[in-house]
Amino acid sequence: MAIAESSLSRTVAVCALALACASAQAQSWPQKPLRMVVPFTAGSGPDVTARLVANAMSQGLGQPVVAENRAGAGGRIAAEFVARAAPDGYTLLLGTASTHLVSPHLVKDMPYDPFKNFTPITIGVTPATAVVVPASLPVNSMGELVAYAKANPGKIAFGSNGIGSSAHLVGEMIKLATGIDMLHVPFKGSNEIVAAILSGQVQMQFSSPGATRAYVSAGKMKLLAILGSKRFPGTPDLPTLPEALPGYEAVADWFGFFGPAALPAPILTRVHAEMVRGLNSPEVRAEFDKLTYIVIANTPEEFAALMKREYQIYARVIKSVNIPMQ
């Protein structure tokens, strides 16, 4: 009995010491600047998001948080760099749905595992993206678009910025959810897609409400729905795709923050708190409103669950389209 009590006492003491060490670690961290690695070029949407959050975090942490661009290979260079970094909280990543959910299904020699090699922290924002059609198309809702496509086989084409892009996959998801036949037309850039919509070469694209505002105001384009599961405050009457199309599984582009795998819980808690504080600050929210980005700021657990769900959705869509791995 005495031996058991002694063993229990030692266990309690070890646990107490571990908690005390973890608490001390959280209180003393950080002791040097942090870097926020961005997989894309300066001035891009992910880069602007990372810099806004990094600046806000610097104030709360008392240490600089420096955005560092490591562009190339569709974001895989930056993601691999962070995956190999020490899990001490000093190296973080701004990742996207492309780097973590789409690329693993399209790239043969992935240099990292999107789940095993990272600690999800929070989704920062999701860019508001709308289903856009030319004003000349005789539809005013997704339901009418589906009916029109079924009555006019082969008459609807949608544009994207490339095979395997998020816009391409969303278009294929709409086809799967509704059974309509649409032609995918890849373009090199958004300007070409806009020109194609205005000329009638394609009848649907996916773009931000802000980018199309002038064309909508001029009566040249119409917005039918918002991608994702949250309505955009700037267009509150515009339904989401899941609202407009029962059976459609919501996915959306997102810019999220990660640490390397096995990020200690006290540091994860601190980083998450500072990111959420920054994302919800009036100054940062005002900047995201200008960009037509929706702030998410979810928990690490919610982020991890969303990743698992959307990873499976993308897997099914990519398999159905039969996009070859590169």
Side-chain angles (χ1 to χ4, degrees), residues 270-291:
R270 182 80 191 281
V271 171
H272 177 265
E274 292 300 334
M275 285 184 174
V276 170
R277 182 192 61 78
L279 287 163
N280 287 320
S281 68
E283 299 81 8
V284 172
R285 275 189 170 268
E287 292 301 318
F288 284 136
D289 285 344
K290 294 176 185 177
L291 295 167

Side-chain angles (χ1 to χ4, degrees), residues 39-66:
F40 305 102
T41 56
S44 63
D47 176 72
V48 173
T49 299
R51 291 178 188 278
L52 285 171
V53 174
N55 289 339
M57 288 178 66
S58 298
Q59 301 172 21
L61 292 174
Q63 289 284 354
V65 182
V66 182

Side-chain angles (χ1 to χ4, degrees), residues 2 8 16 37 60-61 64 95 102 112 138 141 144 147 193 243 256 324 326:
L8 177 61
V37 182
L61 292 174
V102 177
Y112 56 84
S141 69
E144 292 181 3
I193 303 175
E243 290 174 325
Q326 302 296 319

